[in-house]
Amino acid sequence: MSVFSFDTFDKGVDNIGDGTMLTDSARNYFFLINHVVISTFICLFGIVGNCFNITVFLRQGLRKSQNLSLMAISVSDLIEVVLQVWHNFCLNPFVENLEAPVSFIQVQYLTAGMPNGAAIRITEWVTTFMALERCLSIAMPLKIKQLITFKRTACIIILIYILNVSTLTPFYLSAYFSWNFNPKLNITQLGIAFRGNKLEMQGLVFLFHASLSVIPFLLVVIFTAILVVKLKQTSKWRKQVTHINDQNEAASARERKTVVLTIAVAIVLIVCYTPVVVYSITTAITPDFAITGRQANVYHAAFSFAFVLHSFNSSINVVVYYKMSSRYRQTFQELFFARKSRKGGQQQKKHYFSVKPFSNSL
């Protein structure tokens, strides 16, 4: 068993002399600005937005494959932003300097950091499945409904959740909660400790995380590129063909909107996930750029930007759906705006009946 070292997270210590490129105090500024302020603000918006998404998709029904996929993304995004708020709190330098019975910087690994990573990967894989489904609908338009059924979509999404959650097993087999002495504060705090298989398990965790992050990222890039090319070809063909009946025109328009929405979701994911893919590759090539490496402070500072982008990706979808999907927008307005209108109408009706007897007496 090995106890988690407090030296890695000493606060306010300038340790440039030991070969590091970033001091502890400088790293804390990145924590404070990116995690505590920016990411937390985005996540609070994302919690509300994803609750809206879940409500809308439940109202529309989940029998359609795309709705089920978007619902799965909304659930994983909601989990991600909730965990990220807790993660940001734990990384607050002012909180860590409190003489609390809990070392928040340590317990966040078990309660926020690792499960948060699983939720992020789930969103990535479900988005990949959505993009693949749209590509298949273009390649096999007459067979897509028989190929991608509700049951198959549900099974694939459940497998995605199980796969990404199960990859946390090695970490939870090597780490556990433990009471550790903090020499900086001269108190004993609840933190984490590692069993003797720490290095082997951490190697497996990194392998799972890197592979399950990079593979779907590359697939999303490929599928999105295919969709963009096919969308341009379809638009060009529609301009050349003038004799299209109304029914085919409506079907083509619906398919185009579905493809455009999928492309928008995929592009946002690609932009937001690019840094963490680059960081993961860098860690594999440069061992010093790691959570326990010589450049751990640079690692934490760099990943603070990645967490901001992850929070943005998990929070912005409500805006993307509302702007790009007329069906989502209509359901959203019926659920939230129509209630206010009905409430206002009922108040006006009540006011009318309360005034009517008086006017009759005149």
Side-chain angles (χ1 to χ4, degrees):
M1 179 190 75
S2 61
V3 178
F4 192 95
S5 174
F6 280 91
D7 296 336
T8 308
F9 297 102
D10 284 347
K11 302 293 184 254
V13 179
D14 288 339
N15 51 352
I16 284 292
D18 62 3
T20 61
M21 298 172 60
L22 194 69
T23 65
D24 292 340
S25 57
R27 177 207 59 207
N28 287 343
Y29 281 111
F30 285 99
F31 280 175
L32 188 62
I33 296 172
N34 288 340
H35 281 285
V36 179
V37 179
I38 300 177
S39 179
T40 301
F41 177 79
I42 295 173
C43 287
L44 292 177
F45 174 81
I47 291 173
V48 177
N50 283 295
C51 288
F52 283 154
N53 290 340
I54 292 171
T55 305
V56 169
F57 295 133
L58 286 175
R59 177 64 176 270
Q60 291 180 346
L62 304 178
R63 299 302 300 182
K64 289 183 62 177
S65 177
Q66 187 184 40
N67 270 22
L68 187 58
S69 297
L70 293 176
M71 178 69 174
I73 290 176
S74 297
V75 172
S76 61
D77 281 346
L78 179 60
I79 295 172
E80 194 275 328
V81 291
V82 169
L83 291 173
Q84 189 59 48
V85 170
W86 169 241
H87 189 208
N88 295 336
F89 174 82
C90 293
L91 293 180
N92 189 332
F94 296 106
V95 171
E96 183 60 20
N97 281 331
L98 298 176
E99 294 186 4
V102 177
S103 174
F104 294 100
I105 198 81
Q106 291 189 28
V107 299
Q108 61 86 17
Y109 280 102
L110 288 172
T111 61
M114 297 304 295
N116 187 9
I120 290 170
R121 294 195 303 270
I122 289 171
T123 295
E124 195 174 6
W125 275 99
V126 177
T127 305
T128 303
F129 171 72
M130 280 183 57
L132 172 61
E133 180 189 356
R134 288 301 96 198
C135 288
L136 292 176
S137 69
I138 294 174
M140 299 179 292
L142 300 179
K143 297 181 179 180
I144 187 63
K145 290 185 178 181
Q146 290 77 24
L147 182 63
I148 306 296
T149 63
F150 170 80
K151 290 184 178 180
R152 289 176 181 174
T153 300
C155 289
I156 290 172
I157 290 174
I158 291 172
L159 286 175
I160 289 173
Y161 269 78
I162 293 175
L163 173 64
N164 284 278
V165 172
S166 63
T167 58
L168 301 178
T169 304
F171 182 79
Y172 286 101
L173 288 176
S174 65
Y176 59 94
F177 292 112
S178 173
W179 292 100
N180 305 324
F181 179 72
N182 186 345
K184 293 291 295 184
L185 300 177
N186 196 31
I187 60 174
T188 299
Q189 294 179 308
L190 179 65
I192 62 173
F194 294 93
R195 296 182 175 85
N197 58 352
K198 172 185 174 181
L199 294 178
E200 293 81 0
M201 291 300 181
Q202 284 187 343
L204 283 176
V205 170
F206 176 78
L207 177 63
F208 290 150
H209 174 73
S211 59
L212 290 176
S213 297
V214 174
I215 292 174
F217 177 83
L218 295 176
L219 292 175
V220 167
V221 172
I222 295 171
F223 296 151
T224 304
I226 294 173
L227 289 175
V228 170
V229 172
K230 291 297 183 181
L231 185 63
K232 289 182 178 180
Q233 292 177 351
T234 303
S235 299
K236 185 177 180 181
W237 174 80
R238 289 178 70 251
K239 290 180 181 179
Q240 295 175 348
V241 179
T242 57
H243 302 291
I244 302 179
N245 58 48
D246 294 339
Q247 185 177 0
N248 290 338
E249 176 68 19
S252 178
R254 286 195 301 270
E255 177 64 21
R256 185 178 184 278
K257 288 180 180 179
T258 302
V259 172
V260 170
L261 178 60
T262 303
I263 291 174
V265 173
I267 289 177
V268 172
L269 183 141
I270 291 170
V271 172
C272 294
Y273 280 42
T274 297
V276 75
V277 172
V278 174
Y279 297 157
S280 299
I281 296 174
T282 303
T283 301
I285 299 174
T286 309
D288 284 345
F289 184 76
I291 196 169
T292 56
R294 180 180 299 179
Q295 304 303 332
N297 286 345
V298 179
Y299 175 91
H300 286 296
F303 264 91
S304 69
F305 289 98
F307 278 114
V308 168
L309 289 174
H310 285 163
S311 301
F312 180 82
N313 178 75
S314 298
S315 304
I316 197 61
N317 280 340
V318 63
V319 178
V320 175
Y321 301 156
Y322 190 86
K323 290 290 186 181
M324 304 197 68
S325 173
S326 58
R327 186 165 178 261
Y328 178 94
R329 184 165 55 250
Q330 180 182 355
T331 306
F332 187 96
Q333 292 173 351
E334 290 175 356
L335 282 171
F336 304 109
F337 295 155
R339 288 180 180 178
K340 294 183 178 179
S341 300
R342 287 196 299 269
K343 186 177 180 181
Q346 290 174 357
Q347 290 177 348
Q348 290 179 359
K349 187 176 181 180
K350 183 177 180 181
H351 177 71
Y352 170 77
F353 283 114
S354 64
V355 174
K356 188 174 181 180
F358 177 76
S359 59
N360 285 339
S361 64
L362 295 176

